[in-house]
């Protein structure tokens, strides 16, 4: 005799928790600091104790990473300060300013002032392995300076708009990258002062980032993040996961994860192997800048809210030391089935393995279904649902009764109390997409059995009125969804696609709207079939 097939009681599919989601959810509740002006830049010192420099207004605040106490404030600026950054050894701090001057500090002591830019200097950087710095300004030029005597060594000119992003190559000290509002990114050789290569990002460039090896760099602007080959200038990847301007970039997990912050109040975490989104962090205000401490121990994010600045610090929770499991050794010793005896025979080609099937415990509802006791199985699942809220089990049994054409027999001649339970369950879950079709058939079966005698059962008629109201609400919702999809299709059809990066996004959105339209129509079909229920119930009122 064939084994009895178990009733399918699949519950709603839950979102799979990925290792990245578990990893980033270990960040503790954020510590928030409010500033009077927007947070322009955040930088974390690469060396211990990893102090955090926050540029906001006409000052640079330095915080202790663990205690979040304000250690010192650098305020030697006439107007706004921009882009303060630590030297890799953590001894010096470099910052630009709105008046164009670049200032070098040790602690709070002003060491050097570099004068030469004719407009605001938004970004600065130290050249790795050399006593030189690079500064990037709104005067459309980048300058290379000698830190010892404040002399200008090289002028990098070629952009036609503001330079708001710039970074030095960590592997090759003489390579400098600049990003401008003229939608281009240029790679410069400071030994000759010439542009080695130019790539088009397609939008005003807000942030640039080199990978640690220096062979790849990332540009961010508009709603796209692009990954480029440094030497060849070839586009390797293009990611568009934000719906507002991307303002900042960062690296985490020893360079294995790329972070992007945007005005859409989100920070996206990408896997650098596939450039797919591994995790997403939400914030209460548009994100302007971010920084990650070594070992991902702290995530600092700067935001702007109603003209004021918000600074968020999140520390990673320290892992708890787990007690050693002493039972493993005893299990391995006591499990003598894992020991291969002398008469063990290896499998030969052509041998077939007959799996050993253990007697599985049959559920109570499966045992009743096996005996064709449909009324009792209905009593069982309705009672267990009222006690344990196991909706998926009730739906599975309803589906099996419909397949066996035994649902009408199961609901015929039942007590008012059980019918109330079935109606209450149907009203509660009929708008769930996964349960809609099954419960529509349940409602139709109840109407077929008790439709002619509703005037004799006032309590049951009241339940059907509630069901009619719920179905009408669902039909209205589906019609509104279809109207919205139609409006989107009309808008996309009327728009003229351009040969740019946005055309790909529009095509993708069109495909998504078509999928949404088909999904809504499928969702509406059960509701349309439910109109027979609505038509019958109308007679009750």
């Amino acid at each position: 005799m064939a084994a009895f097939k178990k009733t399918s009681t699949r519950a709603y599919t839950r979102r799979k928790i990925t290792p990245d989601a578990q990893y980033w959810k270990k960040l503790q509740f954020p510590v928030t600091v409010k500033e009077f002006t927007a947070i322009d830049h955040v930088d974390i010192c690469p060396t211990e104790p990893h102090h955090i420099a926050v540029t906001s207004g006409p000052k640079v605040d330095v915080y202790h990473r663990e205690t979040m106490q304000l250690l010192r404030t650098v305020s030697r600026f006439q107007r706004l300060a921009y882009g303060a950054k630590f030297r890799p050894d953590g001894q010096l701090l470099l910052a630009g300013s709105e008046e164009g001057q670049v200032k070098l500090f040790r602690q709070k002591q002003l060491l050097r002032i570099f004068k030469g830019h004719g407009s605001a200097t938004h970004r600065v950087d130290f050249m790795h392995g050399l006593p030189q710095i690079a500064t990037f300004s709104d005067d459309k030029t980048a300058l290379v300076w000698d830190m010892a005597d404040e002399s200008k060594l090289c002028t990098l000119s070629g952009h036609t708009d503001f330079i708001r992003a710039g970074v030095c190559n960590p592997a090759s000290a003489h390579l400098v990258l600049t990003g401008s509002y003229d939608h281009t990114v240029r790679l410069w050789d400071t030994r000759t002062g010439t542009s080695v290569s130019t790539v088009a990002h397609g939008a005003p460039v807000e942030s640039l980032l080199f990978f640690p090896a220096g062979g790849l760099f990332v540009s961010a602007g508009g709603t796209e993040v692009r990954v480029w080959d440094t030497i060849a200038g070839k586009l390797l990847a293009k990611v568009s996961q934000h719906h507002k301007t991307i303002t900042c970039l960062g690296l985490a997990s020893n360079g294995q994860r790329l972070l992007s912050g945007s005005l859409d109040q989100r920070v996206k975490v990408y896997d650098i192997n596939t450039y797919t989104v591994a995790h997403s962090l939400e914030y209460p205000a548009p994100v302007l800048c971010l920084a990650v401490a070594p070992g991902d121990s702290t995530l600092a994010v700067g935001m702007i809210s109603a003209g004021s600045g918000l600074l968020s610090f999140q520390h990673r929770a320290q892992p708890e030391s787990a007690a050693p499991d002493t039972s493993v050794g005893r299990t391995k010793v006591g499990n003598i089935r894992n020991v291969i005896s002398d008469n063990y025979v290896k499998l030969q080609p052509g041998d077939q393995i007959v799996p050993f099937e253990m007697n599985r415990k049959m559920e109570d509802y499966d045992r009743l279904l096996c005996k064709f006791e449909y009324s009792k199985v209905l009593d069982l699942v309705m009672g267990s649902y009222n006690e344990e809220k196991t909706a998926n089990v009730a739906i599975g049994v309803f589906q099996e009764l419909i397949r066996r054409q035994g649902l009408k027999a199961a609901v015929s001649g039942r007590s008012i109390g059980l019918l109330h339970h079935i109606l209450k369950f149907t009203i509660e879950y009929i708008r769930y997409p996964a349960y809609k079709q099954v419960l529509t058939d349940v409602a139709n079966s109840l109407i077929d059995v008790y439709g002619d005698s509703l005037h004799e059962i006032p309590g049951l008629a009241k339940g059907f009125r509630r069901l009619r109201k719920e179905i009408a609400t669902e039909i209205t919702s589906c019609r509104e969804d279809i109207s919205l999809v139609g409006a989107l299709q009309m808008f996309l059809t009327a728009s003229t696609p351009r040969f740019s990066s946005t055309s790909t996004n529009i095509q993708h959105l069109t495909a998504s709207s078509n999928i949404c339209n088909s999904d809504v129509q499928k969702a509406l079909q059960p509701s349309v079939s439910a109109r027979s229920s609505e038509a019958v119930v109308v007679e009750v009122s």
Side-chain angles (χ1 to χ4, degrees):
M1 181 179 177
F4 180 78
K5 184 179 178 181
K6 296 178 61 177
T7 303
S8 175
T9 57
R10 182 180 61 183
Y12 276 118
T13 57
R14 297 182 179 179
R15 181 181 298 178
K16 185 178 179 181
I17 301 178
T18 63
D20 281 278
Q22 293 178 343
Y23 181 79
W24 290 102
K25 283 185 177 179
K26 292 181 180 179
L27 293 174
Q28 296 176 346
F29 191 80
V31 177
T32 305
V33 178
K34 188 173 183 179
E35 295 285 350
F36 291 104
T37 57
I39 309 296
D40 174 74
H41 191 69
V42 178
D43 187 56
I44 299 180
C45 182
T47 58
E48 291 285 352
H50 305 305
H51 292 157
I52 304 174
V54 179
T55 308
S56 174
K59 60 185 176 63
V60 178
D61 293 327
V62 179
Y63 291 87
H64 193 280
R65 185 188 64 83
E66 295 181 353
T67 64
M68 306 318 305
Q69 292 182 350
L70 180 61
L71 299 178
R72 56 184 177 271
T73 298
V74 181
S75 57
R76 301 289 294 273
F77 301 93
Q78 297 178 3
R79 289 185 284 181
L80 297 178
Y82 293 122
K85 191 167 186 178
F86 285 105
R87 196 168 68 173
D89 60 3
Q91 297 298 318
L92 301 177
L93 182 68
L94 188 67
S97 64
E98 188 177 7
E99 59 267 21
Q101 297 179 359
V102 178
K103 299 183 179 182
L104 183 67
F105 300 90
R106 183 195 297 271
Q107 301 292 334
K108 296 179 66 173
Q109 181 183 2
L110 178 61
L111 299 180
R112 299 284 188 273
I113 299 179
F114 303 92
K115 301 178 181 179
H117 283 295
S119 188
T121 305
H122 282 264
R123 292 294 175 262
V124 295
D125 198 6
F126 291 92
M127 302 187 71
H128 298 264
L130 295 176
Q132 300 173 6
I133 62 170
T135 59
F136 312 93
S137 173
D138 281 355
D139 62 5
K140 308 173 189 178
T141 65
L143 300 179
V144 179
W145 307 80
D146 187 284
M147 287 194 299
D149 57 5
E150 304 178 7
S151 61
K152 187 190 306 181
L153 301 179
C154 182
T155 300
L156 309 177
S157 59
H159 285 291
T160 58
D161 208 334
F162 298 155
I163 299 178
R164 291 294 177 88
V167 65
C168 297
N169 194 308
S172 180
H174 297 284
L175 293 181
V176 175
L177 201 64
T178 59
S180 171
Y181 276 15
D182 63 5
H183 300 194
T184 63
V185 178
R186 289 177 179 262
L187 182 66
W188 306 84
D189 189 339
T190 60
R191 292 168 294 189
T192 60
T194 58
S195 176
V196 178
S197 63
T198 303
V199 297
H201 180 81
V205 180
E206 300 287 349
S207 182
L208 292 172
L209 176 71
F210 268 114
F211 279 96
L216 302 176
F217 71 87
V218 185
S219 62
T223 59
E224 288 187 350
V225 173
R226 298 193 177 194
V227 184
W228 307 84
D229 185 290
T230 303
I231 304 301
K234 181 181 178 181
L235 178 63
L236 302 179
K238 181 171 62 174
V239 184
S240 180
Q241 294 292 338
H242 293 279
H243 63 271
K244 288 188 178 181
T245 300
I246 300 172
T247 56
C248 51
L249 296 170
L251 285 176
S253 303
N254 296 323
Q256 297 301 310
R257 293 294 181 267
L258 174 67
L259 277 67
S260 66
S262 169
L263 298 180
D264 61 7
Q265 305 181 15
R266 285 171 174 79
V267 172
K268 303 283 186 178
V269 182
Y270 307 92
D271 186 346
I272 65 169
N273 296 316
T274 59
Y275 294 104
T276 57
V277 176
H279 190 61
S280 180
L281 302 170
E282 296 185 6
Y283 289 89
V287 177
L288 297 182
C289 52
L290 64 85
V292 184
D296 302 342
S297 56
T298 301
L299 174 61
V301 175
M303 297 164 280
I304 181 172
S305 175
S308 301
L310 288 178
L311 188 61
S312 169
F313 299 103
Q314 287 181 276
H315 300 291
R316 181 168 300 281
Q318 296 296 330
E320 299 179 358
S321 57
D325 189 2
T326 57
S327 63
V328 177
R330 294 196 301 269
T331 303
K332 290 185 177 180
V333 174
N335 192 0
I336 61 176
R337 297 180 182 178
N338 294 333
V339 181
I340 299 178
S341 60
D342 295 335
N343 58 354
Y344 175 76
V345 180
K346 293 185 178 180
L347 292 177
Q348 301 297 328
D351 290 348
Q352 294 184 358
I353 300 176
V354 179
F356 174 74
E357 295 185 359
M358 299 180 62
N359 293 328
R360 297 181 179 179
K361 181 181 178 181
M362 185 179 294
E363 299 290 345
D364 293 337
Y365 51 81
D366 280 336
R367 191 177 295 109
L368 293 174
L369 286 173
C370 190
K371 297 178 182 179
F372 300 96
E373 297 180 355
Y374 297 155
S375 297
K376 291 183 179 180
V377 74
L378 195 58
D379 293 335
L380 176 65
V381 296
M382 284 291 98
S384 64
Y385 166 73
N386 292 330
E387 295 176 0
E388 304 173 7
K389 298 299 180 181
T390 52
N392 58 309
V393 174
I395 290 295
V397 171
F398 278 133
Q399 198 166 10
E400 180 66 17
L401 291 175
I402 293 171
R403 187 186 68 83
R404 296 186 177 200
Q405 298 181 357
L407 181 59
K408 291 183 179 180
V411 300
S412 299
R414 308 312 304 271
S415 63
I416 300 298
L418 179 66
L419 294 178
H420 275 304
H421 288 321
I422 297 176
L423 274 176
K424 181 180 178 181
F425 179 84
T426 304
I427 293 169
E428 184 174 357
Y429 290 102
I430 196 168
R431 297 186 66 182
Y432 282 40
Y435 298 165
K436 186 181 300 183
Q437 183 62 58
V438 176
L439 293 178
T440 300
D441 294 338
V442 171
N444 284 328
S445 298
L446 289 174
I447 292 172
D448 291 340
V449 174
Y450 296 98
D452 296 335
S453 58
L454 284 179
H455 60 281
E456 302 175 358
I457 316 174
L460 193 61
K462 183 179 179 181
F464 274 107
R465 292 190 186 97
R466 290 180 56 198
L467 178 60
R468 178 185 62 183
K469 183 178 180 181
E470 196 71 20
I471 293 175
T473 304
E474 176 66 10
I475 293 175
T476 303
S477 177
C478 291
R479 287 172 178 169
E480 291 176 354
D481 292 341
I482 292 178
S483 300
L484 178 60
V485 172
L488 287 174
Q489 286 182 337
M490 182 176 63
F491 171 75
L492 294 172
T493 303
S495 62
T496 303
R498 295 176 294 177
F499 295 95
S500 63
S501 58
T502 56
S503 62
T504 304
N505 296 336
I506 291 176
Q507 294 173 1
H508 176 71
L509 183 58
T510 306
S512 302
S513 64
N514 291 334
I515 295 175
C516 181
N517 189 14
S518 62
D519 291 343
V520 172
Q521 290 178 351
K522 290 180 181 179
L524 185 58
Q525 289 176 0
S527 300
V528 173
S529 63
R531 291 180 184 176
S532 59
S533 306
E534 182 181 1
V536 174
V537 177
V538 169
E539 298 177 358
V540 178
S541 60

